[in-house]
Amino acid sequence: MRKRVGVAFILLGICLVLTGCWDVKTVSDYNFVTAMGIDHKEGKYTIYVQLMDFGDMGTHDQSPPGDRSNVWIGRSEGESLYEAINKLYKTSQQNLYWDHLMAIVFSENAIKNDINTFFDSIPRFPQIRYNTWVFSTREPISELFKYSTFFNLSPISNLLHNPRVLHNQLSYVPPIRLNTVLANKEEKGETDLIPNLILVKKKWEDTERDQTVLEMNGAFALDDGRAEHFYSEKQLDGVRWVTPKTRRSVLPINKDGRRIGMMSILKPDKKVDFAIEGGKPFIRLELEFKGVIEEVLTGSGAKEFQVIAEKEIREQVVQTYNAGIANATDIYGLEQYLYRRDPKTWKSLTAAAGSTEHGSFLNENSLKDVKVKVNISHSGMYDMDP
């Protein structure tokens, strides 16, 4: 009997020290932040947060047609970024949960200032992950956050939250993550291109009205914490041929001012040769691609397509390089190759050009040669004359 009583007291004591689940929280106890916008005007920071219902982030197979997910947008101001975030907590009604932050968008005012101040606050916050996408915009950030996706799909299935899907299908300016921006901040000779988002109307519509969607229309070139210059998509034509992140891009084939076909360009391979001649830097680029003929509008041969494609790619590479040099910007980040091979020479060239703070010691004559080779693998389902 005494043994049974002793066991009962032991079990009762164990029950008393068990914490149980009295403080457990469910997804309904949080507001999930999926995107954050940062603006800077008149010495004050303004932040915007995009909130989504956690249940909306999955697929909506059972949702009725036309039922779109709700998006809430919060706004707050402060003398510093951290102060603005904390002021937002006062009106958030529930805990803001940052672990699902997928994108950070800088306004033009913010990105043209020294954004190193932003990157001091953001990485210190443990809930924000370094794989967040980074964008810029000239649109009102609150408007940008209102538009999600087609149909009744997950609201994170769009360009803002998942740009890699579209980039794999049609590559232009590659999307960039926060960890890359932070890593390159301390790298000499590195230039990051921050994709710029715009709102596009009257290109898509449903059965009721036109639908506004997101599109990339260029990028700001970020160097040493500043992105003073915006480059349009046309000015950045050559980026896709130089970056190894390109998966697939299309190239119109023109002859005598007429379109004769289209090609897909795949798998870029790049070799950079940096030489110092007479105290001046000279660069030679060797680019090689796989080409697929997708459309033929005239009776042209594969060799003619190859020659035109190589010439057009070379011209675009040089044109983009010169567009950057006009603003003292090394768009391709070519200086890093010299810095890694010969940092002493890089430092002396930088000092001589007076570009220690901002700008590049490269000029329009520094890109001495661009060799392009396009290997045509096939012409789709139809044969083509060589």
Side-chain angles (χ1 to χ4, degrees):
M1 184 64 180
R2 291 181 177 178
K3 185 176 181 180
R4 291 180 179 178
V5 173
V7 172
F9 273 107
I10 292 173
L11 292 175
L12 179 61
I14 293 174
C15 291
L16 291 175
V17 298
L18 289 176
T19 59
C21 299
W22 62 272
D23 63 342
V24 67
K25 293 184 181 294
T26 64
V27 294
S28 61
D29 296 316
Y30 296 96
N31 287 327
F32 292 90
V33 181
T34 54
M36 177 171 67
I38 301 174
D39 193 8
H40 185 260
K41 189 180 297 184
E42 297 178 354
K44 288 189 176 183
Y45 297 87
T46 303
I47 68 162
Y48 301 84
V49 293
Q50 181 191 62
L51 307 182
M52 292 184 186
D53 182 2
F54 187 82
D56 286 340
M57 295 185 189
T59 57
H60 288 194
D61 295 336
Q62 303 301 321
S63 299
D67 181 24
R68 294 177 180 270
S69 304
N70 290 325
V71 175
W72 282 63
I73 299 159
R75 179 182 181 276
S76 181
E77 290 185 356
E79 298 292 333
S80 70
L81 189 64
Y82 190 68
E83 181 185 8
I85 291 174
N86 279 274
K87 282 186 177 181
L88 194 65
Y89 292 153
K90 294 181 179 181
T91 58
S92 63
Q93 310 305 308
Q94 296 188 102
N95 287 340
L96 290 182
Y97 194 73
W98 297 85
D99 276 16
H100 289 279
L101 182 69
M102 304 176 71
I104 298 175
V105 181
F106 290 95
S107 71
E108 182 176 14
N109 287 334
I111 205 167
K112 283 188 173 182
N113 282 278
D114 188 354
I115 66 172
N116 287 332
T117 56
F118 307 121
F119 291 138
D120 178 79
S121 302
I122 294 172
R124 291 177 187 269
F125 193 55
Q127 285 189 359
I128 295 181
R129 301 180 182 183
Y130 281 20
N131 62 352
T132 302
W133 299 108
V134 179
F135 295 97
S136 61
T137 188
R138 290 172 161 177
E139 304 278 1
I141 296 178
S142 58
E143 291 297 313
L144 197 78
F145 284 175
K146 290 179 182 178
Y147 299 96
S148 55
T149 186
F150 292 169
F151 309 114
N152 55 338
L153 299 176
S154 167
I156 60 174
S157 300
N158 66 358
L159 181 60
L160 176 64
H161 301 94
N162 193 11
R164 180 179 289 174
V165 173
L166 293 180
H167 181 73
N168 289 342
Q169 187 173 45
L170 183 64
S171 302
Y172 225 90
V173 178
I176 189 168
R177 293 190 186 271
L178 177 61
N179 56 359
T180 302
V181 176
L182 292 175
N184 290 344
K185 183 167 68 77
E186 303 298 332
E187 288 288 335
K188 305 298 183 183
E190 281 280 6
T191 302
D192 290 326
L193 294 178
I194 309 299
N196 191 73
L197 296 178
I198 60 171
L199 295 172
V200 178
K201 302 178 181 179
K202 298 184 178 180
K203 286 194 175 182
W204 291 89
E205 61 183 69
D206 59 16
T207 56
E208 298 179 357
R209 59 185 179 275
D210 293 334
Q211 293 295 336
T212 302
V213 296
L214 302 178
E215 182 183 356
M216 291 185 190
N217 73 329
F220 282 90
L222 179 63
D223 178 31
D224 196 27
R226 291 183 182 272
E228 298 178 350
H229 300 287
F230 172 80
Y231 296 91
S232 67
E233 188 177 69
K234 180 65 177 176
Q235 290 176 305
L236 298 177
D237 271 341
V239 170
R240 53 186 170 160
W241 312 128
V242 177
T243 175
K245 295 181 180 179
T246 294
R247 295 293 176 266
R248 172 187 175 271
S249 195
V250 293
L251 181 69
I253 304 299
N254 298 316
K255 180 181 179 181
D256 299 329
R258 291 178 58 245
R259 179 69 47 84
I260 65 172
M262 296 286 291
M263 287 183 63
S264 289
I265 307 296
L266 316 167
K267 298 181 179 180
D269 186 26
K270 176 180 67 175
K271 181 181 178 182
V272 180
D273 182 34
F274 223 119
I276 304 299
E277 301 175 8
K280 297 180 180 180
F282 291 99
I283 306 161
R284 293 176 176 85
L285 286 178
E286 293 184 18
L287 307 172
E288 188 170 354
F289 309 89
K290 175 183 175 182
V292 177
I293 297 174
E294 303 282 8
E295 185 178 44
V296 179
L297 303 178
T298 62
S300 303
K303 181 62 177 178
E304 185 175 23
F305 269 64
Q306 178 187 14
V307 171
I308 294 174
E310 291 174 349
K311 180 177 180 293
E312 181 64 22
I313 290 175
R314 183 187 183 281
E315 289 177 353
Q316 290 184 8
V317 169
V318 174
Q319 172 259 323
T320 297
Y321 171 83
N322 289 333
I325 292 301
N327 293 315
T329 302
D330 177 18
I331 284 184
Y332 297 139
L334 296 173
E335 287 187 22
Q336 62 168 304
Y337 292 93
L338 177 61
Y339 177 77
R340 293 178 181 180
R341 183 195 304 175
D342 190 352
K344 184 177 180 180
T345 300
W346 180 89
K347 290 179 181 178
S348 64
L349 288 172
T350 300
S355 56
T356 303
E357 293 298 325
H358 304 289
S360 172
F361 55 72
L362 301 176
N363 57 47
E364 63 275 7
N365 298 317
S366 299
L367 187 59
K368 194 167 186 178
D369 189 25
V370 179
K371 294 182 178 179
V372 179
K373 176 66 175 177
V374 176
N375 301 307
I376 297 179
S377 58
H378 63 85
S379 55
M381 297 292 292
Y382 297 97
D383 291 334
M384 189 174 181
D385 293 334

